[in-house]
């Protein structure tokens, strides 16, 4: 059917862009509130040495769930501390607790409203269906634009993803209250609020708590996804392990998440009927806990004397909140930036982990408002064509010189598919060629179409790649790439050329570590995105004996710290 495509995506983009500008003040307020609450929770949980919180959680678990689980909690938390994941665990617990608090504050009233108004239920039900079935990653896209990179968009996305069970179970619990009890309350002249608080909510509490429990577990399941936009904690550790194919670190961080999930699950399941309620009344136990929490919160919230630090803070440091916006944890560029932070003594600066897309989104937001921002950058990249940017000078050479991008293929490819091997071996182009494709994709063109446009416009150059290469007969060729704009451009172009030469090409997006491992173990045929000798050197050294390096396909790349040209600094030394 020759029906024009409905520009739904463009409508959504326009609506989000309007919201970003029109409601900027509200989003800033929400960001400040959530940041403040999260910092408060982290500070409360971090008071004293780790053993203090470990003992308190152990006692709470023993009171709510009996002593065997208390022993498990004690041993497990000591293990987390021993493995070096205590600070990450505190961050994760704080994120989950804040997300859970938001679901309770907003979800329970909405559930009550649904139970009392059929119209509200009819409207919210499809909305909740949408929220639960939409991939969680999708929530991160507008969240970055609204709230910037960091923990706030992660918490917002977790809250949206996790709130549905609380609303549904609150609604269900109230509706399942026996009708005869409602009729009896009406007969005694009870008001609506009296029926709600004296009859319906007490009877619905088990169902409501089940919904809260599920919401907390869903929020915990989002910690890895939230790390894509810079949320700290165990999710970032897992993400880093995946990108580096560090099985040990991935298992340790994953085990820590499992332990925290078990502890939070058992606590929320048994809060209503603690195991030792006959020994110590719940009102007394939870009052003591509340006093400890409130007292600690007040103590850590007392103003501290930061005048000396503020006097020494540079203008750019204050404007950017000492943050350098980075990309995926484990990327070579992130390692170089960490090295630069050490070599230039930038101890007060924080390198924010996230993703390439999140970094560009934060750049675009700051650029539109002419706000200072410092990012990790590399060339070629389309952002240098779309924004007026500059590299900060690197007098100490922390980021090294120009790099090359190499083509790497599995062993045996030349024998199995000689034509495809020859095309990959002869593939070479200039940074300007790559940027043409990248800009086309950045402007909304599908990568497949952008690659086809470039191939059609550069037949002479493409002919050099295919010269003398045997045509394919539908042989399978699998190329892997990391989701960097540069590698998307090069991989789709090479894939298009191979396809036109008779090969059945599959393009698979993976993380950096799996990209090298896939070619090394033969599950992928090749890649055209190995940045050497710096960015991907660690992965290259790990697998260099298990694949074949066909040499560089592009020369002249560059890494470093990048700022918009309106930012009045010129060197990394200016950050000191």
């Amino acid at each position: 059917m020759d029906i024009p495509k409905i520009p739904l995506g463009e409508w959504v983009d326009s609506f989000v862009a309007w919201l970003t500008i029109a409601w900027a003040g509200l989003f800033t307020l929400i960001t400040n509130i959530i940041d403040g609450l999260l910092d408060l929770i982290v500070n409360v949980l971090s008071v004293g040495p780790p053993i203090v919180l470990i003992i308190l959680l152990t006692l709470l678990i023993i009171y709510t769930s009996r002593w065997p689980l208390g022993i498990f909690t004690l041993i497990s938390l000591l293990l987390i501390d021993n493995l070096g994941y205590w600070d990450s665990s505190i961050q994760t617990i704080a994120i989950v607790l804040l997300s859970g608090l938001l679901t309770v504050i907003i979800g329970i009233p909405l559930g009550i409203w649904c139970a009392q108004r059929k119209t509200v239920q009819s409207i919210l039900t499809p909305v909740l269906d949408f929220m639960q079935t939409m991939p969680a990653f999708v929530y991160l896209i507008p969240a970055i634009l609204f709230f910037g990179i960091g923990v706030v968009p992660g918490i917002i996305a977790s809250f949206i993803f996790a709130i549905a069970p609380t609303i549904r179970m609150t609604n269900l619990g109230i509706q399942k209250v026996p009708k005869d009890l409602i009729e009896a309350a009406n007969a005694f002249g009870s008001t609506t609020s009296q029926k709600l608080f004296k009859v319906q909510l007490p009877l619905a509490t088990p169902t409501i708590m089940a919904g809260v429990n599920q919401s907390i577990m869903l929020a915990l399941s989002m910690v890895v996804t939230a790390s894509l936009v810079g949320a700290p904690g165990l999710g970032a550790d897992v993400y880093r392990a995946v990108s580096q194919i560090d099985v040990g670190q991935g298992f340790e961080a994953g085990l820590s998440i499992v332990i925290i999930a078990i502890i939070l699950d058992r606590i929320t399941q048994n809060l209503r009927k603690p195991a030792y309620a006959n020994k110590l009344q719940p009102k007394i136990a939870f009052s003591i806990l509340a006093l400890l929490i409130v007292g600690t919160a007040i103590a850590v919230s007392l103003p501290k004397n930061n005048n000396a630090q503020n006097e020494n803070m540079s203008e750019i440091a204050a404007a950017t909140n000492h943050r350098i916006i980075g990309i995926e944890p484990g990327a070579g560029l992130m390692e170089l930036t960490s090295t630069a932070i050490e070599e230039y003594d930038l101890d007060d600066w924080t390198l924010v982990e996230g993703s390439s897309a999140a970094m560009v989104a934060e750049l675009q937001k700051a650029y539109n408002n002419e706000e200072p921002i410092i990012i990790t950058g590399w060339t070629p990249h389309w952002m240098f064509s779309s924004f007026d940017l500059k590299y900060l000078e690197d007098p100490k050479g922390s980021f090294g010189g120009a790099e090359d991008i190499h083509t790497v293929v599995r062993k045996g490819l030349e024998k199995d598919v000689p034509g495809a091997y020859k095309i990959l071996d002869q593939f070479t182009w200039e940074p300007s060629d790559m940027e043409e494709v990248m800009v086309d994709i950045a402007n909304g063109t599908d990568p497949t179409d952008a690659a086809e446009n470039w191939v059609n416009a550069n037949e002479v150059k493409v002919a050099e790649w295919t010269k003398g290469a045997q045509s394919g007969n539908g042989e399978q060729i699998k190329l892997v790439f990391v989701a960097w704009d540069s590698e998307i451009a090069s991989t789709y172009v090479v894939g298009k050329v191979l396809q036109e030469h008779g090969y059945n090409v599959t393009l698979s997006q993976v993380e950096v570590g799996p990209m090298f491992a896939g070619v090394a173990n033969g599950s992928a045929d090749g890649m055209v995105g190995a940045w050497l000798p710096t960015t991907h050197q660690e992965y290259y050294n790990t697998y260099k004996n298990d694949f074949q390096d066909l040499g560089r396909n592009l020369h002249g790349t560059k890494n470093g710290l990048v700022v918009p040209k309106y930012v009045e600094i010129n060197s990394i030394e200016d950050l000191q």
Side-chain angles (χ1 to χ4, degrees):
M1 298 176 64
D2 190 16
I3 300 177
K5 177 185 175 182
I6 298 175
L8 180 59
E10 297 177 11
W11 295 344
V12 173
D13 287 340
S14 300
F15 179 66
V16 170
W18 174 80
L19 280 180
T20 303
I21 298 172
W23 290 16
L26 176 61
F27 295 140
T28 301
L29 176 63
I30 294 174
T31 299
N32 292 336
I33 292 174
I34 292 179
D35 268 333
L37 288 174
L38 185 67
D39 289 341
L40 178 62
I41 295 174
V42 170
N43 290 337
V44 169
L45 295 176
S46 302
V47 168
I51 191 63
V52 174
L53 182 59
I54 291 173
I55 292 175
L56 287 175
L57 286 176
T58 300
L59 292 175
L60 181 59
I61 281 289
I62 291 175
Y63 177 69
T64 58
S65 308
R66 297 194 179 276
W67 65 267
L69 193 60
I71 295 176
F72 166 81
T73 300
L74 177 63
I75 295 174
S76 299
L77 293 179
L78 288 174
L79 175 63
I80 291 176
D81 185 34
N82 176 264
L83 293 175
Y85 293 96
W86 184 255
D87 291 337
S88 295
S89 297
I90 291 295
Q91 292 282 353
T92 297
I93 293 173
I95 292 171
V96 173
L97 289 179
L98 184 52
S99 300
L101 179 63
L102 292 175
T103 61
V104 170
I105 293 174
I106 298 175
I108 291 180
L110 284 177
I112 294 172
W113 197 15
C114 286
Q116 294 179 339
R117 297 286 187 274
K118 294 296 182 183
T119 302
V120 175
Q121 181 179 345
S122 300
I123 294 173
L124 275 183
T125 297
V127 174
L128 295 177
D129 292 339
F130 176 86
M131 291 166 60
Q132 286 188 289
T133 55
M134 177 65 71
F137 288 94
V138 177
Y139 299 134
L140 297 177
I141 303 172
I144 296 170
L145 299 176
F146 295 156
F147 305 104
I149 196 172
V151 70
V152 176
I155 290 176
I156 295 296
S158 299
F159 158 72
I160 294 173
F161 183 69
I163 193 174
T166 297
I167 297 175
R168 291 186 188 275
M169 298 300 279
T170 300
N171 176 30
L172 177 64
I174 293 176
Q175 288 188 348
K176 292 298 182 181
V177 173
K179 300 297 182 183
D180 54 347
L181 294 179
I182 302 298
E183 292 172 358
N186 290 331
F188 281 102
S190 300
T191 63
T192 302
S193 60
Q194 287 175 330
K195 282 189 295 184
L196 177 64
F197 290 103
K198 299 292 185 179
V199 179
Q200 293 172 311
L201 284 181
L203 293 173
T205 297
T207 305
I208 294 173
M209 288 303 298
V212 172
N213 174 268
Q214 290 302 305
S215 291
I216 290 176
M217 292 299 102
L218 286 175
L220 185 58
S221 71
M222 279 286 290
V223 296
V224 178
T225 303
S227 67
L228 295 175
V229 293
L234 294 169
D237 294 321
V238 171
Y239 185 24
R240 189 179 301 108
V242 171
S243 63
Q244 297 176 335
I245 315 187
D246 190 332
V247 179
Q249 181 183 353
F251 180 80
E252 291 174 351
L255 179 62
S256 300
I257 293 176
V258 171
I259 290 171
I260 291 173
I262 293 173
I263 293 172
L264 293 178
D265 178 65
R266 298 304 185 270
I267 290 176
T268 53
Q269 277 189 11
N270 300 313
L271 272 179
R272 185 169 172 268
K273 291 184 177 181
Y276 293 106
N278 58 329
K279 305 291 185 182
L280 180 63
Q281 292 185 11
K283 288 184 179 180
I284 298 176
F286 295 134
S287 295
I288 294 173
L289 180 61
L291 286 174
L292 283 174
I293 294 173
V294 172
T296 306
I298 293 173
V300 299
S301 300
L302 293 176
K304 298 178 178 60
N305 186 10
N306 292 322
N307 292 335
Q309 180 180 350
N310 292 335
E311 289 175 0
N312 296 327
M313 187 182 300
S314 66
E315 183 178 345
I316 184 64
T320 59
N321 198 24
H322 281 105
R323 298 198 313 164
I324 298 172
I325 308 302
I327 54 173
E328 292 81 2
L333 179 55
M334 297 291 280
E335 298 296 330
L336 293 174
T337 306
S338 297
T339 300
I341 289 174
E342 293 179 5
E343 292 181 348
Y344 285 93
D345 297 323
L346 305 178
D347 298 333
D348 294 333
W349 287 82
T350 300
L351 177 59
V352 180
E353 297 177 337
S355 64
S356 304
M359 184 259 305
V360 172
E362 187 77 353
L363 169 63
Q364 185 168 9
K365 181 180 178 182
Y367 193 89
N368 292 339
N369 297 320
E370 293 193 3
E371 297 174 347
I373 186 173
I374 304 170
I375 65 171
T376 55
W378 65 94
T379 313
H381 195 289
W382 63 266
M383 63 184 178
F384 287 91
S385 299
S386 300
F387 306 106
D388 203 6
L389 306 174
K390 63 182 179 182
Y391 279 99
L392 294 182
E393 296 174 5
D394 180 18
K396 296 185 178 182
S398 300
F399 287 93
E403 283 195 287
D404 296 329
I405 304 179
H406 286 225
T407 301
V408 174
V409 299
R410 65 173 174 84
K411 287 186 174 181
L413 182 66
E414 183 177 13
K415 178 181 178 181
D416 298 338
V417 197
Y421 175 90
K422 193 171 187 66
I423 291 174
L424 290 169
D425 190 25
Q426 296 179 159
F427 165 62
T428 180
W429 60 349
E430 302 297 325
S432 57
D433 297 320
M434 178 184 280
E435 286 180 352
E436 286 182 29
V437 185
M438 295 167 69
V439 171
D440 201 10
I441 296 173
N443 290 334
T445 304
D446 184 88
T448 301
D449 296 333
E452 184 176 3
N453 294 339
W454 190 90
V455 169
N456 292 337
N458 294 270
E459 294 180 354
V460 175
K461 182 166 290 189
V462 171
E464 296 175 0
W465 303 347
T466 60
K467 184 178 180 180
Q470 176 182 334
S471 296
N473 190 26
E475 294 93 333
Q476 291 278 348
I477 297 294
K478 183 176 181 179
L479 301 180
V480 287
F481 65 98
V482 67
W484 295 357
D485 299 274
S486 54
E487 310 325 311
I488 292 173
S490 58
T491 306
Y492 272 84
V493 166
V494 171
K496 180 63 179 176
V497 172
L498 287 168
Q499 186 178 18
E500 291 186 347
H501 216 64
Y503 296 98
N504 186 0
V505 181
T506 301
L507 307 181
S508 298
Q509 176 182 315
V510 295
E511 293 298 329
V512 179
M515 178 175 69
F516 277 85
V519 178
N521 63 29
S523 58
D525 293 304
M527 61 173 171
V528 292
W531 288 55
L532 299 169
T534 304
T535 302
H536 291 152
Q537 188 64 46
E538 181 179 351
Y539 302 104
Y540 185 90
N541 290 338
T542 300
Y543 299 103
K544 63 182 179 180
N545 295 327
D546 299 317
F547 55 58
Q548 184 178 358
D549 184 356
L550 300 183
R552 74 184 189 192
N553 59 59
L554 184 144
H555 174 69
T557 68
K558 182 178 181 180
N559 295 310
L561 296 184
V562 174
V563 298
K565 284 189 176 179
Y566 58 73
V567 178
E568 296 179 354
I569 59 172
N570 297 302
S571 172
I572 300 177
E573 292 180 332
D574 296 333
L575 303 180
Q576 295 174 336

